[in-house]
Amino acid sequence: MYLRALTGLAEGGTTTCSSEELAASAGVNSAKLRKDLSYLGSYGTRGVGYDVEYLRYQIAREIGVTQDWPVVIVGIGNLGHALANYSGFRSRGFRVVALLDADPDRHDEVVAGLDVRSFEDLESIVTEDAVAIGVIATPAVAAQSVADRMVAAGITSILNFAPTVLTVPEGVDVRKVDLSIELQILAYHEQRKSGLPTAEVTA
Amino acid sequence: MYLRALTGLAEGGTTTCSSEELAASAGVNSAKLRKDLSYLGSYGTRGVGYDVEYLRYQIAREIGVTQDWPVVIVGIGNLGHALANYSGFRSRGFRVVALLDADPDRHDEVVAGLDVRSFEDLESIVTEDAVAIGVIATPAVAAQSVADRMVAAGITSILNFAPTVLTVPEGVDVRKVDLSIELQILAYHEQRKSGLPTAEVTA
DNA sequence: AGGAGTTTGTGAACGGGAGAACAAAACGGG
DNA sequence: CCCGTTTTGTTCTCCCGTTCACAAACTCCT
Ligand SMILES: NC(=O)c1ccc[n+]([C@@H]2O[C@H](COP(=O)([O-])OP(=O)(O)OC[C@H]3O[C@@H](n4cnc5c(N)ncnc54)[C@H](O)[C@@H]3O)[C@@H](O)[C@H]2O)c1
Ligand SMILES: NC(=O)c1ccc[n+]([C@@H]2O[C@H](COP(=O)([O-])OP(=O)(O)OC[C@H]3O[C@@H](n4cnc5c(N)ncnc54)[C@H](O)[C@@H]3O)[C@@H](O)[C@H]2O)c1
């Protein structure tokens, strides 16, 4: 988040900023920001603030996005198309190297300049391009088997969009994005707002 | 998450389950599950477990997804198309009532059986259909102004896909989904795995 | 050179979620 | 009808992230 806020500030022409300003851009408390940055080192100057470009580089280096990370996307349906076409990944240090789908009818397609290839090509692509990160955008029933194949092929980080709990060996990281749950959380608060105006006092 | 796990169990024909089973399906610790459920009430039976269908209804009622929530999606580009076509929302208590875009060229399109309409129609749609939840899938630069219009129109919950911090009045809930940050988190752990094999011991 | 003003870095207090552990409750079998 | 077994509901403890508050450090102006 700080990285993005810094990029925004840099584009706006700011060269130096205080923890207060940066925290506001990132939408967090300034004390939290300073503590977070302190874990990386002491990159600010007391009485002055942080050099935007310098701090940006330091955070990028710490996260590991100074190099480009190759990524494969599996499941080129509605969501897979959107992800493949998204330019924001490229500019943030990620490069989509392959789009895979189990459906042969999809293999004629070209999406975002890349051929949609057979899922059977997974192993060779992962090996050749040293891919460590895989994205799963298949239906939920297929997600676990896709994850298993990914892990067997050598992928050690998975971003999962399918609404399922994935089981993976130790050493493999999984993060999930679950849009329905996000909406459910909003609905819950919405219900409380309209439903019980006096409930907050009681509870 | 529990709701989804219960739905899965019910589809598999299970009528009763222990906290241990349900926790495994949802991917959490069984003590945590029991504590979470205890906040809703005492819906289990000691020595037996939980009635799947009964508990499912109780959770759905608590969250507020027994009724249908109308939703508008603004920004029908790559991501907006995918969201509009996603059937999972409907089955989880959400109904997309309108697709809005600022680009007049989009207004000819029909996506998932709905006309893409002008962003100017926002206010009338929100009023007529009593829409409380809005989804933002526009470019980042437009997100804040779209959010402002939504709030002014009466929307009180926003799901934001644009990589920006939104500022909204008190009483309005915002949740954000940020795919680049998810990938960055994976990249960070990936770098640590391959980079410093002895770092974990040291740190 | 020195003091006033700013802003960082961090120690300490706070709050809350997660897990271990156990008592209370329900069921079944004798 | 009572006792052993199973499983929930809850308490207690631990741990980690967040925030407050302040001393240390830097700049600028006189
Ligand atoms: N579309 C959305 O906006 C959205 C929102 C939230 C969650 N999701 C989730 O994301 C996933 C994808 O959604 P979608 O709408 O793109 O679905 P989709 O049906 O449009 O696309 C799924 C694609 O995966 C492919 N596929 C199926 N099995 C496969 C396998 N074993 N290996 C490789 N590819 C396989 C299919 O051929 C298809 O092209 C689903 O799990 C869905 O629940 C989607
Ligand atoms: N595509 C993805 O997979 C993806 C992934 C992560 C994040 N995002 C984010 O989601 C957002 C949308 O991405 P996209 O790829 O669909 O972009 P896109 O450019 O394909 O679509 C954006 C749409 O928003 C419309 N729009 C622009 N300004 C508007 C306004 N003021 N009011 C109403 N509509 C307006 C445009 O006409 C266009 O149709 C972006 O902020 C992007 O960063 C997208």
Side-chain angles (χ1 to χ4, degrees), chain B residues 106-127:
Chain B
R106 297 259 185 213
H107 298 162
D108 302 330
E109 270 186 73
V110 176
V111 180
L114 285 170
D115 291 336
V116 177
R117 299 173 59 180
S118 164
F119 184 51
E120 300 306 315
D121 296 350
L122 177 70
E123 285 77 9
S124 61
I125 291 167
V126 169
T127 307

Side-chain angles (χ1 to χ4, degrees), chain A residues 98-116:
Chain A
L99 308 174
L100 306 181
D101 202 295
D103 183 352
D105 292 349
R106 297 260 185 212
H107 298 163
D108 302 330
E109 269 186 76
V110 176
V111 181
L114 285 169
D115 291 337
V116 177

Side-chain angles (χ1 to χ4, degrees), chain B residues 2 14 32-33 46-47 55 72 78 97-99 111-113 115 123 125 128 133 145 147-148 158 162 166:
Chain B
Y2 303 148
T14 311
K32 173 164 159 48
L33 175 126
R46 299 181 186 210
L55 182 58
V72 294
N78 291 312
V97 296
L99 308 175
V111 180
D115 291 336
E123 285 77 9
I125 291 167
E128 278 171 33
I133 301 177
S145 70
D148 292 343
I158 294 175
L166 291 184

